[in-house]
Amino acid sequence: MALSLKQLDSITSAFNAKEQAYDKIIRVCCGTGCITSGANRVLEGVLTAVEREGLSSKVLVKKTGCHGLCERGPIVTLGNDEILYQSVGKRDVAADVDLLLKTVTEGKVADKLLFRDSARKEKYTSSLDIPFYKGQKRIVLAMNGLINPEEIDDYIAHGGYRAPFRAFQMTPEEIIDWVTKGGLRGRGGGGFLTGRKWSSARAAKGGLKYVLANGDEGDPGAFMDRSLMEGNPHAVIEGMVIGGYTIGAQQGYIYVRDEYPLAVSRLTKAIEQARDYNMLGHDVFGSGFDFDLEIYRGGGAFVCGESTALMSSLEGKSGEPRDKYVHTVEHGLWDKPTNLNNVETWANVPHIINNGLDWYTSIGTKKSTGTKIFSLVGKVNNTGLIEVPMGISLREIIFGLGGGIRGKRQFKAVQTGGPSGGCIPEQHLDMPVDFDSLTSIGSMMGSGGMIVMDERNCMVDVARYFLRFLTEESCGKCVPCREGTRRMHEILDRICKGAGKIEDLMHLEELGKALQWGAICGLGQSAPNPVLSTIRYFSDEYKAHIIEGRCPAGVCKEITTFTIMEEKCTGCMRCAAECPMGAIIGEKKEPQRIDDLRCITCGICYDVCSFDAIKIG
Amino acid sequence: MEINKEKLDEIILKYGRDKAHLLAIFQDVQKEYRYLPKEAVRHICMRLGMPQVDGFEVATFYKSFSLKPRGKHTVHVCLGTACHLKGGADVLLSFMRELKVKTGETTADGAFTLESVNCLGACALAPLVRVDEKDFGKTTVAQSRNIIRDFTDHH
Amino acid sequence: MVQLSINGKKVTAEEGEALLKVARREGFVIPTLCYHELLGSSGRCRLCVVEVNDAGKKRVVASCLYPAKENIEVFTDSDEVRLVRRTVLELLLARNPSAELIQHLAKQHGVTEVRYTPDQDKGKCILCNLCVRCCKDIVGVSALGMSGKGPMKKVGPPFDEPSETCIGCGACVVICPTGHIAMEEEKGVRTVWQKKFELAACPKCKRYHLPLFQLEWISKTRNIPVEELMVCEDCR
Ligand SMILES: Cc1cc2nc3c(=O)[nH]c(=O)nc-3n(C[C@H](O)[C@H](O)[C@H](O)COP(=O)(O)O)c2cc1C
Ligand code: SF4
Ligand code: SF4
Ligand code: FES
Ligand code: FES
């Protein structure tokens, strides 16, 4: 039997009553980052301690999805964000669990576990005050870190699954109109207008139609979609139900990366629970409309994020893209009209339906509405997951939320758009983050990877890195990409090794153009971007490699040596202690020396020296 | 290689003998053997009524499948962008030194297979290493030995 | 029917017909490597690219696949097109330095220098996929396929072992544009893709002609007695 709106409300009240019966709620983040840092042990510890102290009826312990501040995990919050504890149990689980219980029972805030902003040297109790959270606008991620992603009632109690009721009161055309006027653009990279895609898919002829969610998240260095699927899987499902109804599809598939086992298991559970409530299956929400979902696991191929390759993979074949002269909204999966959207795009849909157009368009900029989730990583102080309104500047993200560059180093570049994007230099930091601005400076929004680099990162090496990645991930179907990416890599590798020629730069640009024009799919067409953007903004660095035979960042091993400057070395031996190869020799309080034969030029010594006594040569 | 055909058929039936589920079938079979034995691929193709070349194509296209036997434990060193910038390549080199194998190879005693991977989705904790199902964050060159020891003790 | 222009010349075409066909019919020269009249296109080699201006939107497309549309302008020899073609040929020459066909095409398109380290291990195979399609769609035994990904991609029988289904007909050898596939015959035995086939000797002229295995296969699929097939074409 389908649930009515009234029944949803009674589930909500029952759930809230259950939670309100407790004095306190402890939320332990069980996102992937926190699990890696030991969240499962903390969760177990808290549960045992609560039981031992006889607090089981007073304190509720909840497992949640990612809070975003992954690097400081495991994260535990108390009450409704009143207190945020970080790095809980990093050293000593039992001791930290004790501190936690003391906070609950005696109201004593554990200083040691509070978040300290390393740049501002300030301490914060509530997450609401931490700049990392304060600068955010959490809509899609609002429930991450709050609800238990494995409990549908929790999602319902927080307003979930109301949007389909509204949507089923509307005609598909009205929904398309809302989504179009709301300006929702695809979060998977291209920024294509979602409403327009839905409209073509609805108009397409052919009995069966499909809706697909792209959860392949191939961008290496990004984990937005993962946190969304793990932390709030029902949001994706809710969006897809509405999308299915709108375009007239009865079946949907969610394609998830093989490397994300937790996302697969949470989505699987969510689908089962939604079926139990008849939100999926026959006559969903009592609307007379049938809709069901199934999960497909990928096989570890970046190119399968591309729409036609994804469909080929869903059909059980290898992921070779095809030319899209005929669009997938007309001939897609099994040759049927198919509408593919990124998981974050889907998760935006219920919010537009629930809160209306005016509300949605008031967030972000005119041409890029709403928010965008980014994974902010690299050399910033606060790495993690953020959701910000579009139009915010890169500077605000990196120096505001991110707390600036780690240690004593300087900002050099920020990479957005993953392997299809580019490196953005200091001079463009005030650029608003929206689809069109980022494209105008040779990068792109992409799916939301944002990787901050400092002067210890070499831009030629970064370009080489991406081309290595793309060479491996090219499907190998078309000549320009299969042969072109590896040859671009060959040239970049030569430059990194100090054997480059100045003509190589023009050659790279020429080859880049041929790929942009000649390759079949976005992978090959955008493969030159990391190269072209670094040549455009960091040509000095290329020239240093080519003409002077040196790597200013001290990254390219073949042309880098580290030397200790006798006059500056105090003999503190910090470097000697950190060197993994034991390559640093010398007496205490005496200048040290690096044994070149043992040195692997990892540069750890350079990074740890407090006296700038080590020189890159 | 002796394969258990009943077990294979069970998996194939679980997916409704549907070609569209070839990847899922391969994934389940690989879990069983820690790799995809050629004989298993042949059997699956036969049951699904598809040419062997098509199964071979899929088995070699996707990085998560291996037609070569793998070690008891698989070490995945992340070389995603965040991990690369924080020294993932040096961590990989240290595993190569410790295990005395190259990427993609298995140690002589069959204990470890070393693989590189492009992002495991915990980039805030770069550089990341995954051994079987356990993740290690903020790894260093010096740590590789300890990680290996952790898994050598109880295998 | 739709009206479009190719290099300024007005032409008509069936709606949806591939530009390559239209252009060739009208006498324009467009080089191709992976297209074959019997097997269609798969868009792999990108040698057939042309520039299309569709209501102000310009792009370079594969003519073997791009459908003819009303009012588009097609250019078969623009700067962009030439750059893509020359790049494809230089890249292929670096991959297959010994392939005569590629050498010839490269010269024809003004590619005189290869700026990359030539490959030694790829033979003459350009991965056009024609042999695979031929074996599947014309012969019908699917003994060949692609394996691997990216630069490691290659063509061959499953598991790189002699294929169970290969009948030794040699159709792939005939269709391969570069002559990559080796087929040898010695003392009544034909070897192709590592598989050995005993050849049937014609009872009339005593010459070896087709593999026995192939005859048995034809006999089974077409219901013709093997004895009839044993007689070679010339003596029938
Ligand atoms: C090589 C390549 C990889 C891609 N990877 C992804 C991906 O991991 N996730 C994603 O949502 N879109 C990815 N895309 C974009 C998709 O092709 C597609 O545009 C998108 O999923 C559409 O959804 P959207 O309109 O909601 O963004 C990729 C595109 C290319 C060319
Ligand atoms: S551009 Fe690259 S990934 Fe895309 S089809 Fe061509 S070879 Fe494959
Ligand atoms: S062997 Fe010949 S026909 Fe087959 S893919 Fe290679 S070049 Fe093409
Ligand atoms: S880059 Fe290594 S986990 Fe993402
Ligand atoms: S002939 Fe068109 S791509 Fe090869």
PDB file of all heavy atoms in Angstrom, chain A residues 303 320-322 473-479 481-482 519-525, ligand 2:
ATOM      1  N   VAL A 303      36.498   6.401 -18.032  1.00  0.00           N
ATOM      2  CA  VAL A 303      35.731   6.780 -19.219  1.00  0.00           C
ATOM      3  C   VAL A 303      34.252   6.404 -19.063  1.00  0.00           C
ATOM      4  O   VAL A 303      33.387   6.991 -19.711  1.00  0.00           O
ATOM      5  CB  VAL A 303      36.356   6.159 -20.491  1.00  0.00           C
ATOM      6  CG1 VAL A 303      36.162   4.654 -20.525  1.00  0.00           C
ATOM      7  CG2 VAL A 303      35.816   6.802 -21.753  1.00  0.00           C
ATOM      8  N   GLU A 320      33.233   1.722 -24.301  1.00  0.00           N
ATOM      9  CA  GLU A 320      33.684   2.577 -25.408  1.00  0.00           C
ATOM     10  C   GLU A 320      32.597   3.594 -25.735  1.00  0.00           C
ATOM     11  O   GLU A 320      31.463   3.212 -26.012  1.00  0.00           O
ATOM     12  CB  GLU A 320      33.980   1.732 -26.659  1.00  0.00           C
ATOM     13  CG  GLU A 320      35.326   1.070 -26.627  1.00  0.00           C
ATOM     14  CD  GLU A 320      35.703   0.498 -28.001  1.00  0.00           C
ATOM     15  OE1 GLU A 320      34.863   0.517 -28.919  1.00  0.00           O
ATOM     16  OE2 GLU A 320      36.851   0.042 -28.150  1.00  0.00           O
ATOM     17  N   PRO A 321      32.943   4.885 -25.726  1.00  0.00           N
ATOM     18  CA  PRO A 321      31.945   5.894 -26.091  1.00  0.00           C
ATOM     19  C   PRO A 321      31.653   5.844 -27.584  1.00  0.00           C
ATOM     20  O   PRO A 321      32.359   5.189 -28.346  1.00  0.00           O
ATOM     21  CB  PRO A 321      32.639   7.220 -25.769  1.00  0.00           C
ATOM     22  CG  PRO A 321      33.813   6.873 -24.940  1.00  0.00           C
ATOM     23  CD  PRO A 321      34.217   5.493 -25.339  1.00  0.00           C
ATOM     24  N   ARG A 322      30.606   6.522 -27.963  1.00  0.00           N
ATOM     25  CA  ARG A 322      30.333   6.659 -29.394  1.00  0.00           C
ATOM     26  C   ARG A 322      30.082   8.137 -29.687  1.00  0.00           C
ATOM     27  O   ARG A 322      29.833   8.929 -28.789  1.00  0.00           O
ATOM     28  CB  ARG A 322      29.129   5.821 -29.800  1.00  0.00           C
ATOM     29  CG  ARG A 322      27.826   6.245 -29.116  1.00  0.00           C
ATOM     30  CD  ARG A 322      26.622   5.713 -29.887  1.00  0.00           C
ATOM     31  NE  ARG A 322      25.366   6.017 -29.208  1.00  0.00           N
ATOM     32  CZ  ARG A 322      24.744   7.180 -29.270  1.00  0.00           C
ATOM     33  NH1 ARG A 322      25.278   8.190 -29.929  1.00  0.00           N
ATOM     34  NH2 ARG A 322      23.582   7.368 -28.650  1.00  0.00           N
ATOM     35  N   GLU A 473      43.519   5.924 -18.892  1.00  0.00           N
ATOM     36  CA  GLU A 473      42.063   5.837 -18.865  1.00  0.00           C
ATOM     37  C   GLU A 473      41.404   6.024 -20.222  1.00  0.00           C
ATOM     38  O   GLU A 473      40.201   5.836 -20.356  1.00  0.00           O
ATOM     39  CB  GLU A 473      41.497   6.834 -17.856  1.00  0.00           C
ATOM     40  CG  GLU A 473      41.902   6.551 -16.405  1.00  0.00           C
ATOM     41  CD  GLU A 473      41.443   5.180 -15.927  1.00  0.00           C
ATOM     42  OE1 GLU A 473      40.487   4.628 -16.496  1.00  0.00           O
ATOM     43  OE2 GLU A 473      42.057   4.649 -14.983  1.00  0.00           O
ATOM     44  N   SER A 474      42.160   6.423 -21.225  1.00  0.00           N
ATOM     45  CA  SER A 474      41.596   6.496 -22.572  1.00  0.00           C
ATOM     46  C   SER A 474      41.052   5.118 -22.909  1.00  0.00           C
ATOM     47  O   SER A 474      41.679   4.111 -22.601  1.00  0.00           O
ATOM     48  CB  SER A 474      42.698   6.864 -23.562  1.00  0.00           C
ATOM     49  OG  SER A 474      42.312   6.516 -24.878  1.00  0.00           O
ATOM     50  N   CYS A 475      39.885   5.083 -23.531  1.00  0.00           N
ATOM     51  CA  CYS A 475      39.325   3.766 -23.828  1.00  0.00           C
ATOM     52  C   CYS A 475      40.099   3.110 -24.955  1.00  0.00           C
ATOM     53  O   CYS A 475      40.088   1.898 -25.102  1.00  0.00           O
ATOM     54  CB  CYS A 475      37.851   3.880 -24.182  1.00  0.00           C
ATOM     55  SG  CYS A 475      37.546   4.367 -25.877  1.00  0.00           S
ATOM     56  N   GLY A 476      40.762   3.937 -25.781  1.00  0.00           N
ATOM     57  CA  GLY A 476      41.560   3.385 -26.866  1.00  0.00           C
ATOM     58  C   GLY A 476      40.813   3.238 -28.167  1.00  0.00           C
ATOM     59  O   GLY A 476      41.319   2.644 -29.113  1.00  0.00           O
ATOM     60  N   LYS A 477      39.591   3.779 -28.209  1.00  0.00           N
ATOM     61  CA  LYS A 477      38.822   3.612 -29.445  1.00  0.00           C
ATOM     62  C   LYS A 477      39.340   4.513 -30.569  1.00  0.00           C
ATOM     63  O   LYS A 477      39.597   4.047 -31.672  1.00  0.00           O
ATOM     64  CB  LYS A 477      37.341   3.905 -29.180  1.00  0.00           C
ATOM     65  CG  LYS A 477      36.471   3.744 -30.407  1.00  0.00           C
ATOM     66  CD  LYS A 477      35.001   3.950 -30.074  1.00  0.00           C
ATOM     67  CE  LYS A 477      34.130   3.800 -31.317  1.00  0.00           C
ATOM     68  NZ  LYS A 477      32.714   4.038 -31.043  1.00  0.00           N
ATOM     69  N   CYS A 478      39.480   5.800 -30.293  1.00  0.00           N
ATOM     70  CA  CYS A 478      39.848   6.680 -31.415  1.00  0.00           C
ATOM     71  C   CYS A 478      41.326   7.053 -31.394  1.00  0.00           C
ATOM     72  O   CYS A 478      41.931   7.187 -30.329  1.00  0.00           O
ATOM     73  CB  CYS A 478      38.946   7.909 -31.461  1.00  0.00           C
ATOM     74  SG  CYS A 478      39.132   9.079 -30.126  1.00  0.00           S
ATOM     75  N   VAL A 479      41.873   7.235 -32.581  1.00  0.00           N
ATOM     76  CA  VAL A 479      43.309   7.463 -32.718  1.00  0.00           C
ATOM     77  C   VAL A 479      43.804   8.729 -32.002  1.00  0.00           C
ATOM     78  O   VAL A 479      44.785   8.667 -31.265  1.00  0.00           O
ATOM     79  CB  VAL A 479      43.727   7.488 -34.203  1.00  0.00           C
ATOM     80  CG1 VAL A 479      45.195   7.841 -34.353  1.00  0.00           C
ATOM     81  CG2 VAL A 479      43.437   6.138 -34.852  1.00  0.00           C
ATOM     82  N   CYS A 481      42.947  10.326 -29.370  1.00  0.00           N
ATOM     83  CA  CYS A 481      43.049  10.193 -27.925  1.00  0.00           C
ATOM     84  C   CYS A 481      43.981   9.052 -27.534  1.00  0.00           C
ATOM     85  O   CYS A 481      44.874   9.208 -26.717  1.00  0.00           O
ATOM     86  CB  CYS A 481      41.655  10.003 -27.338  1.00  0.00           C
ATOM     87  SG  CYS A 481      41.619   9.588 -25.599  1.00  0.00           S
ATOM     88  N   ARG A 482      43.784   7.883 -28.137  1.00  0.00           N
ATOM     89  CA  ARG A 482      44.605   6.728 -27.758  1.00  0.00           C
ATOM     90  C   ARG A 482      46.084   7.009 -27.972  1.00  0.00           C
ATOM     91  O   ARG A 482      46.911   6.732 -27.104  1.00  0.00           O
ATOM     92  CB  ARG A 482      44.191   5.495 -28.565  1.00  0.00           C
ATOM     93  CG  ARG A 482      45.022   4.262 -28.247  1.00  0.00           C
ATOM     94  CD  ARG A 482      44.656   3.086 -29.146  1.00  0.00           C
ATOM     95  NE  ARG A 482      45.126   3.263 -30.500  1.00  0.00           N
ATOM     96  CZ  ARG A 482      44.365   3.127 -31.585  1.00  0.00           C
ATOM     97  NH1 ARG A 482      43.092   2.826 -31.478  1.00  0.00           N
ATOM     98  NH2 ARG A 482      44.877   3.304 -32.778  1.00  0.00           N
ATOM     99  N   ALA A 519      38.898  14.041 -31.296  1.00  0.00           N
ATOM    100  CA  ALA A 519      38.546  12.883 -30.468  1.00  0.00           C
ATOM    101  C   ALA A 519      37.037  12.687 -30.406  1.00  0.00           C
ATOM    102  O   ALA A 519      36.267  13.619 -30.615  1.00  0.00           O
ATOM    103  CB  ALA A 519      39.118  13.041 -29.068  1.00  0.00           C
ATOM    104  N   ILE A 520      36.637  11.454 -30.118  1.00  0.00           N
ATOM    105  CA  ILE A 520      35.206  11.137 -30.088  1.00  0.00           C
ATOM    106  C   ILE A 520      34.518  11.775 -28.893  1.00  0.00           C
ATOM    107  O   ILE A 520      33.471  12.395 -29.020  1.00  0.00           O
ATOM    108  CB  ILE A 520      34.987   9.604 -30.000  1.00  0.00           C
ATOM    109  CG1 ILE A 520      35.467   8.916 -31.275  1.00  0.00           C
ATOM    110  CG2 ILE A 520      33.515   9.290 -29.744  1.00  0.00           C
ATOM    111  CD1 ILE A 520      35.298   7.411 -31.255  1.00  0.00           C
ATOM    112  N   CYS A 521      35.088  11.580 -27.712  1.00  0.00           N
ATOM    113  CA  CYS A 521      34.323  11.953 -26.528  1.00  0.00           C
ATOM    114  C   CYS A 521      35.056  12.995 -25.696  1.00  0.00           C
ATOM    115  O   CYS A 521      36.194  13.362 -25.977  1.00  0.00           O
ATOM    116  CB  CYS A 521      34.011  10.716 -25.683  1.00  0.00           C
ATOM    117  SG  CYS A 521      35.345  10.216 -24.585  1.00  0.00           S
ATOM    118  N   GLY A 522      34.385  13.435 -24.644  1.00  0.00           N
ATOM    119  CA  GLY A 522      34.915  14.477 -23.776  1.00  0.00           C
ATOM    120  C   GLY A 522      36.271  14.146 -23.181  1.00  0.00           C
ATOM    121  O   GLY A 522      37.073  15.040 -22.916  1.00  0.00           O
ATOM    122  N   LEU A 523      36.547  12.874 -22.971  1.00  0.00           N
ATOM    123  CA  LEU A 523      37.841  12.529 -22.377  1.00  0.00           C
ATOM    124  C   LEU A 523      38.976  13.020 -23.264  1.00  0.00           C
ATOM    125  O   LEU A 523      39.853  13.753 -22.825  1.00  0.00           O
ATOM    126  CB  LEU A 523      37.946  11.020 -22.149  1.00  0.00           C
ATOM    127  CG  LEU A 523      39.148  10.541 -21.319  1.00  0.00           C
ATOM    128  CD1 LEU A 523      38.834   9.246 -20.594  1.00  0.00           C
ATOM    129  CD2 LEU A 523      40.405  10.349 -22.153  1.00  0.00           C
ATOM    130  N   GLY A 524      38.934  12.639 -24.520  1.00  0.00           N
ATOM    131  CA  GLY A 524      39.996  13.044 -25.437  1.00  0.00           C
ATOM    132  C   GLY A 524      39.919  14.520 -25.787  1.00  0.00           C
ATOM    133  O   GLY A 524      40.934  15.202 -25.879  1.00  0.00           O
ATOM    134  N   GLN A 525      38.692  15.028 -25.942  1.00  0.00           N
ATOM    135  CA  GLN A 525      38.540  16.424 -26.339  1.00  0.00           C
ATOM    136  C   GLN A 525      39.059  17.380 -25.271  1.00  0.00           C
ATOM    137  O   GLN A 525      39.566  18.455 -25.580  1.00  0.00           O
ATOM    138  CB  GLN A 525      37.058  16.732 -26.604  1.00  0.00           C
ATOM    139  CG  GLN A 525      36.549  16.094 -27.887  1.00  0.00           C
ATOM    140  CD  GLN A 525      35.029  15.981 -27.891  1.00  0.00           C
ATOM    141  OE1 GLN A 525      34.357  16.423 -26.959  1.00  0.00           O
ATOM    142  NE2 GLN A 525      34.490  15.389 -28.938  1.00  0.00           N
TER     143      GLN A 525
HETATM  144  S1  SF4 D   2      38.317  10.335 -26.924  1.00  0.00           S
HETATM  145 FE1  SF4 D   2      39.495   8.745 -25.861  1.00  0.00          FE
HETATM  146  S2  SF4 D   2      38.097   7.901 -24.393  1.00  0.00           S
HETATM  147 FE2  SF4 D   2      36.883   9.046 -25.889  1.00  0.00          FE
HETATM  148  S3  SF4 D   2      36.390   7.522 -27.474  1.00  0.00           S
HETATM  149 FE3  SF4 D   2      38.277   8.425 -28.124  1.00  0.00          FE
HETATM  150  S4  SF4 D   2      39.811   7.002 -27.297  1.00  0.00           S
HETATM  151 FE4  SF4 D   2      37.953   6.610 -26.213  1.00  0.00          FE
END
